[in-house]
Amino acid sequence: MLKDKEKLHEQLAGPVDDSIRAVYLLLAHAKLPDGFDIRPSGHGYIERELRFELDERWYFSAVLNKSWVLWYFRRPALAGLAKDATDLLQIFPQAELTKNAEVKLRIRDPETAYAVLGWVLQNG
């Protein structure tokens, strides 16, 4: 469930490609498994981010950039869902492993966003 729609509106006020704005809104309004909250947030130099939380644990992130949304499968999600990062790299071949052992993926189109959300629905 989306929390703080006003903050979401503020995040989208900056310069963003229209197609990326649509992807970010798709992620913000996604129907996820019970218990997930979607919270527009930010920290440090990242001002436009969606946090996907389950039981107050920060599982996924979607960071809004001008030309893409950077999606993170965070370590709490991998541990909490008993998933391995290497499996995600096979499912999403364009993804990368970060130095923090998280998986990041640039989402540039709705098809990729739907694939990510489908994975969350199946595994969350």
Side-chain angles (χ1 to χ4, degrees), residues 5-123:
K5 292 179 184 180
E6 186 173 315
K7 176 78 172 171
L8 176 65
H9 179 71
E10 290 171 13
Q11 289 180 336
L12 291 168
V16 178
D17 293 347
D18 287 342
S19 61
I20 301 307
R21 181 184 317 274
V23 165
Y24 198 69
L25 284 168
L26 173 68
L27 295 169
H29 294 289
K31 300 279 186 202
L32 298 176
D34 290 342
F36 270 97
D37 287 323
I38 304 170
R39 187 178 317 282
S41 186
H43 65 283
Y45 65 92
I46 297 173
E47 297 178 2
R48 301 183 299 174
E49 172 184 51
L50 295 172
R51 293 184 179 185
F52 296 78
E53 302 166 342
L54 180 63
D55 298 327
E56 299 182 17
R57 295 184 70 205
W58 181 12
Y59 269 33
F60 310 106
S61 290
V63 180
L64 180 62
N65 291 283
K66 184 178 179 184
S67 302
W68 64 77
V69 174
L70 192 56
W71 178 269
Y72 287 90
F73 295 90
R74 299 190 67 250
R75 283 185 305 170
L78 299 176
L81 301 174
K83 299 297 176 184
D84 186 66
T86 56
D87 292 339
L88 283 168
L89 295 173
Q90 290 179 354
I91 295 167
F92 299 102
Q94 66 276 36
E96 302 171 33
L97 191 62
T98 71
K99 65 181 179 197
N100 294 325
E102 298 178 340
V103 176
K104 70 178 181 179
L105 171 68
R106 282 183 176 80
I107 300 177
R108 293 183 163 101
D109 54 57
E111 293 81 10
T112 305
Y114 280 119
V116 166
L117 293 174
W119 186 93
V120 172
L121 282 169
Q122 290 178 348
N123 295 280

